[in-house]
Amino acid sequence: MRQSQLFGKTLRGDSKDEVSANAKLLERGGFVYKTMAGVYDYLPLGLRVLAKVQQIIREEMNAIGGQEAFLTVLQPRERWEKTGRWKTLGDEAMYQFKDPSGREVGLAFTHEEALAEIALRSIQSYKDLPVFVYQIQTKFRAELRAKSGLLRGREFLMKDLYSFHADADDLNRFYFGPIDKAYRKIFKRCGFDIHFTEASGGAFTTEFTHEYQQFSPAGEDTVFYCLKCRFSQNSEIATVREGDPCPKCNDRIQMTKSIELGNIFRLGTLYSEPMGLLYADKKGERKPVVMGSYGIGLGRLIAAAVEIHHDERGIVWPESIAPFRVHLLELQEGMGAPIYADLQALGVGVLYDERDASAGEKFADADLI
């Protein structure tokens, strides 16, 4: 890519109403365009980063047997009424309205009900289990506190995987085994050092859940943790406080701000039973399918990468998700073209700055993006 042709130019100053590093640097670097609070457009540079993150996620989800689907965001009220979440989510976070025909519909920010209903056609017996289905799709959330750039949005991209099992034991094997290992690989490949953190289920389940937290002053969560054994609890459900002895190793509990990068939920039969999702076991008896759900916010992951990987000059991307492998700056006219051609022939992603601009401007933009 020739930088002179790049759609999305760098800006010289930060937006006055932005505080977080990711909001400032991603917009100033030409990665995103802010349409309104919590709603961002991805420009070509940002989309390249997003594509790298998607590829890493797909590789790890496919490696554990995940099958990719793509579900609708527009959802009928009747589907959500079955689980009682039409009212609870409408009060909290779900965009709900009437379409031109007068039918009540909503914009989903999660798909437990939808996939449980769809699974009625695929899951009939224990021989059909377990099965793992995921998607990477736009979600909408009526977020009253949309802030901090891509960390808290109203429209955002999410990877959500749903698992279907014959019993709780099989769910637990997947929950603490393949999916946990896959999540740890994803975050490590993207340049994070996560802490596996005990948390509440929120609007999804009454079960104990887990979050993948990246410690950062920019985070909105407060986490109590043990540096020695990596025990970690979200303050919302914490049974420990700063200075307490760790319940696992007796070392001292510390406290920090943190960014939640992903979460995993053991749903049990909370959604399968009201949706009528049953299977026949080996004896022919009908039993409810046991479910789990597992999410990663892609925009949040990108924002977190910027928050923990930047300096006073700009973003310092982990190589695995950098928009380009090489940034080639031509400081003398005609000298860069042969190198650019060689890199392209080798299949190396390269941003070639052949603009008619000063060396100082080119270096400043390179540091920024």
Side-chain angles (χ1 to χ4, degrees), residues 18-306:
E18 299 294 0
V19 176
S20 63
N22 86 88
K24 292 178 180 179
L25 295 175
L26 287 171
E27 188 158 23
R28 188 149 60 90
F31 290 85
V32 300
Y33 179 88
K34 184 178 181 180
T35 292
M36 54 183 168
V39 182
Y40 286 84
D41 303 291
Y42 284 87
L43 304 182
L45 275 181
L47 193 62
R48 289 183 69 93
V49 177
L50 187 62
K52 298 283 187 70
V53 172
Q54 288 177 313
Q55 182 62 27
I56 290 171
I57 289 175
R58 283 192 171 100
E59 287 174 3
E60 299 301 340
M61 292 298 96
N62 293 344
I64 60 171
Q67 300 180 57
E68 187 170 3
F70 190 79
L71 309 186
T72 66
V73 179
L74 193 63
Q75 300 277 312
R77 173 176 178 165
E78 309 87 76
R79 177 177 286 170
W80 295 77
E81 287 279 14
K82 293 178 182 179
T83 60
R85 289 211 294 179
W86 178 259
K87 183 179 187 309
T88 57
L89 293 183
D91 292 341
E92 296 177 4
M94 189 179 189
Y95 287 106
Q96 298 174 346
F97 52 93
K98 290 184 179 180
D99 68 14
S101 72
R103 184 178 188 178
E104 291 188 85
V105 295
L107 300 181
F109 67 83
T110 186
H111 280 80
E112 284 83 4
E113 286 87 349
L115 205 53
E117 179 182 304
I118 295 169
L120 290 169
R121 294 187 179 180
S122 297
I123 299 175
Q124 304 296 328
S125 107
Y126 70 94
K127 296 179 181 180
D128 300 319
L129 298 169
V131 65
F132 319 115
V133 181
Y134 76 96
Q135 62 174 344
I136 297 175
Q137 184 233 42
T138 300
K139 309 289 191 194
F140 293 88
R141 184 168 297 179
E143 179 59 69
L144 297 177
R145 298 183 295 127
K147 60 180 182 178
S148 302
L150 300 182
L151 284 178
R152 182 177 288 276
R154 291 189 281 168
E155 179 180 342
F156 53 93
L157 207 62
M158 174 75 75
K159 187 288 303 176
D160 42 330
L161 181 143
Y162 303 89
S163 66
F164 301 86
H165 307 264
D167 53 44
D169 287 343
D170 192 60
L171 169 60
N172 283 331
R173 280 191 291 271
F174 183 71
Y175 185 94
F176 291 108
I179 193 67
D180 174 49
K181 291 177 182 176
Y183 266 43
R184 291 173 189 266
K185 287 181 180 178
I186 288 168
F187 298 129
K188 184 177 182 179
R189 290 179 64 183
C190 291
F192 296 105
D193 176 25
I194 60 90
H195 285 252
F196 189 58
T197 303
E198 296 174 354
S200 68
F204 295 87
T205 177
T206 56
E207 287 282 342
F208 208 47
T209 69
H210 291 85
E211 298 167 343
Y212 296 82
Q213 293 277 0
Q214 170 67 54
F215 295 170
S216 168
E220 293 185 317
D221 288 355
T222 299
V223 169
F224 295 106
Y225 71 99
C226 174
L227 189 61
K228 183 178 179 180
C229 72
R230 298 182 76 88
F231 168 82
S232 181
Q233 285 186 335
N234 192 302
S235 62
E236 294 178 352
I237 56 104
T239 58
V240 297
R241 288 294 181 266
E242 189 174 21
D244 287 352
C246 173
K248 289 190 175 182
C249 73
N250 214 40
D251 205 47
R252 189 174 69 86
I253 291 294
Q254 301 181 51
M255 181 178 72
T256 187
K257 301 299 288 185
S258 190
I259 301 171
E260 178 192 332
L261 298 180
N263 45 44
I264 57 177
F265 303 87
R266 287 173 289 180
L267 305 173
T269 61
L270 188 61
Y271 299 100
S272 57
E273 285 193 285
M275 299 305 292
L277 180 58
L278 308 174
Y279 75 97
D281 66 11
K282 292 182 179 180
K283 297 179 181 179
E285 297 178 3
R286 302 288 288 173
K287 294 182 177 180
V289 172
V290 176
M291 292 177 59
S293 67
Y294 319 85
I296 296 176
L298 278 70
R300 176 179 284 257
L301 190 152
I302 291 171
V306 176

